[in-house]
Amino acid sequence: MIGHIVNRMKLAGRGAGLLAALLAPLAAGPALAAPCGNDAAGFDAWMRDFRQQAVSQGISPAALRPLDGVTYDTKVISLDRNQKHFKMSFEEFSRNRISKGRIAKGKQMLQRYASTLAQIERRYGVPGPILVAIWGMETDYGANIGNMPILRSLATLSYDCRRSGFFTPQLLDALRIYQRGDLTLDEMRGAWAGEIGQTQFLASSYVKFAVDFDGDGRADLVRSPTDVLASTANYLRGYGWRAGAGWGPGEPNYQALLGWNKAEVYARTLGVFAGMLTQ
């Protein structure tokens, strides 16, 4: 789940991850001759210029073919403008995301993947309960990863003037994921803001932190729980996770949880959820 390098928040109660309104560009996107826009009128011109810039940044013509026929998605814009969950209190947010059923299944997942989680903790220092809690909160353990075409969502948000500078690099990284063969085009479906896989990585986080832990030759965060859990641990380590340290507010690893999601209500809920999985 934003962003992972960015300020984002997840509406994990229905499984699909949602970006926080606090998202800010981390790096400027490629300079485009065609301007951004707030309706569909200039989308095709923007896309033509984006393709040229993508080639200049190492994206092959073959990897750009999935953009053929991609259109502006008004549903994505509507969702981006109506993120009402940001006003939730901790009590409201946590009540909607920690259920008896989700806890029970999380404990089952801890048992099912006990050996894998032990290997991951030895490698990255992140304990199983934190990883399983993220997995549960983000997509109900992979059951609800979203079904919107990631490239269409990211193209729409890249063209949209509100956060074009943030999303244009995300679109480039999504194309890199496709180009290197980690995911097929059919597998590149997810949440409305382009989050991918069972713990809802943004494309930039996928490129930076996804690992092939099951050894099948690709980092698959859609179909491989082993890759999902290890990549999530690698992400947290990248944000300063310290093996053996606590993760509650004020403890060393709380900052790593905020690196996963800058929303305090999310980080606090995640810590509580992980603690309940150990009871």
Side-chain angles (χ1 to χ4, degrees):
M1 34 236 90
I2 254 168
H4 298 105
I5 304 179
V6 299
N7 299 346
R8 71 164 171 78
M9 189 171 172
K10 301 287 186 160
L11 187 58
R14 66 173 178 79
L18 295 182
L19 286 177
L22 299 178
L23 271 173
L26 296 183
L32 299 175
C36 63
N38 294 314
D39 56 40
F43 182 76
D44 290 343
W46 181 91
M47 181 64 80
R48 286 194 295 272
D49 283 350
F50 171 79
R51 286 172 177 270
Q52 295 175 5
Q53 293 296 325
V55 170
S56 76
Q57 298 214 10
I59 306 300
S60 69
L64 285 170
R65 288 194 193 108
L67 294 179
D68 293 350
V70 167
T71 56
Y72 181 78
D73 191 342
T74 56
K75 180 179 179 181
V76 167
I77 298 302
S78 177
L79 289 167
D80 183 53
R81 302 295 194 267
N82 294 281
Q83 301 179 62
K84 298 178 181 179
H85 56 287
F86 296 125
K87 296 181 179 180
M88 287 184 182
S89 67
F90 167 70
E91 289 73 19
E92 291 173 314
F93 187 87
S94 59
R95 183 171 60 248
N96 290 337
R97 285 151 185 81
I98 303 177
S99 66
K100 290 182 179 179
R102 191 171 279 174
I103 292 168
K105 187 166 184 179
K107 290 181 177 181
Q108 293 175 6
M109 293 300 185
L110 281 173
Q111 293 180 347
R112 181 182 302 175
Y113 293 98
S115 176
T116 297
L117 289 167
Q119 293 176 51
I120 290 170
E121 185 169 6
R122 285 194 294 271
R123 176 85 59 89
Y124 301 106
V126 184
I130 281 289
L131 301 176
V132 171
I134 290 173
W135 194 16
M137 282 180 61
E138 295 290 349
T139 65
D140 273 329
Y141 312 103
N144 299 300
I145 67 173
N147 196 40
M148 296 182 71
I150 288 164
L151 294 180
R152 187 185 187 196
S153 294
L154 290 177
T156 298
L157 292 166
S158 297
Y159 164 69
D160 181 51
C161 290
R162 191 157 101 91
R163 289 177 295 195
S164 182
F166 173 78
F167 280 106
T168 301
Q170 297 295 330
L171 178 56
L172 287 165
D173 279 337
L175 291 167
R176 291 184 180 104
I177 292 166
Y178 174 73
Q179 180 170 269
R180 72 188 190 185
D182 285 338
L183 298 176
T184 65
L185 184 59
D186 184 60
E187 290 169 335
M188 294 189 71
R189 306 181 74 85
W192 67 263
E195 300 98 323
I196 306 169
Q198 296 190 32
T199 52
Q200 299 284 271
F201 273 39
L202 285 177
S204 60
S205 297
Y206 203 121
V207 168
K208 187 172 183 179
F209 296 114
V211 295
D212 173 23
F213 206 74
D214 63 12
D216 70 350
R218 62 176 185 151
D220 182 356
L221 303 192
V222 172
R223 302 189 187 280
S224 171
T226 297
D227 288 357
V228 167
L229 294 167
S231 299
T232 304
N234 189 38
Y235 180 100
L236 291 173
R237 186 178 68 170
Y239 275 83
W241 187 275
R242 288 167 49 184
W247 57 68
E251 295 184 298
N253 287 325
Y254 190 66
Q255 290 303 311
L257 296 185
L258 290 175
W260 177 268
N261 190 308
K262 297 295 184 187
E264 292 272 354
V265 292
Y266 187 100
R268 288 177 61 192
T269 299
L270 179 57
V272 170
F273 190 5
M276 296 177 75
L277 291 177
T278 65
Q279 294 175 1

